[in-house]
Amino acid sequence: MEIIQIVGLGLIVTILTLIIKEQKPMFAFLLAAFTGILIFLFLIGKISSVIQVLEELAQKSSINMVFLKTILKIIGVAYIAEFGAQIVRDAGQESIASKIELSGKVLIMVMAIPIITVIIETVVKLLPA
């Protein structure tokens, strides 16, 4: 069970971070950031499996792959923005974390415009003239 490994690593690093933080706060932050990156890298294989399944389902359903790729990019931006904001928050920089989150939201909105356009066009076609 991977979650037990991840939680175990998280607990161990949390204890180490609390101990180191008193003497060397910079090392404590680097340890926490490195651990977050390590956990993210551990999950990349799982994420790629999910993406492959979604692509297969989209092909079987005859869904335009542009839409699926756009949605996957949006999900990626959301995860990366959240991850970056959490690391910055761990360093005590709440205002920068908020700016990262805002940037992620704006980028998601920009990337969603083609999908929103298609939805609106489809709804307009369904309405009686």
Side-chain angles (χ1 to χ4, degrees):
M1 300 233 321
E2 291 102 0
I3 192 64
I4 293 173
Q5 294 172 329
I6 293 169
V7 171
L9 176 65
L11 290 173
I12 291 168
V13 171
T14 299
I15 292 168
L16 288 173
T17 302
L18 291 172
I19 293 169
I20 295 172
K21 193 173 193 175
E22 294 177 10
Q23 302 296 322
K24 301 279 185 180
M26 180 57 91
F27 287 132
F29 168 73
L30 290 174
L31 180 61
F34 175 75
T35 302
I37 292 168
L38 186 66
I39 291 171
F40 184 74
L41 291 175
F42 179 75
L43 295 174
I44 283 183
K46 305 292 181 191
I47 293 168
S48 110
S49 299
V50 170
I51 291 171
Q52 287 176 348
V53 169
L54 290 174
E55 286 177 347
E56 290 171 11
L57 288 172
Q59 288 174 348
K60 288 178 184 176
S61 308
S62 300
I63 293 175
N64 190 340
M65 291 303 287
V66 172
F67 297 132
L68 177 66
K69 294 203 181 287
T70 302
I71 290 170
L72 291 174
K73 286 178 186 177
I74 288 170
I75 292 169
V77 167
Y79 281 136
I80 291 168
E82 177 67 21
F83 182 74
Q86 288 175 2
I87 289 177
V88 172
R89 234 180 233 109
D90 287 344
Q93 299 298 316
E94 182 66 36
S95 83
I96 295 174
S98 296
K99 304 312 182 277
I100 290 172
E101 289 173 340
L102 175 64
S103 299
K105 291 172 186 176
V106 169
L107 290 173
I108 287 170
M109 187 173 58
V110 168
M111 286 190 290
I113 287 174
I115 294 173
I116 293 169
T117 303
V118 169
I119 291 171
I120 291 172
E121 288 173 355
T122 303
V123 169
V124 168
K125 287 178 187 174
L126 293 173
L127 294 174

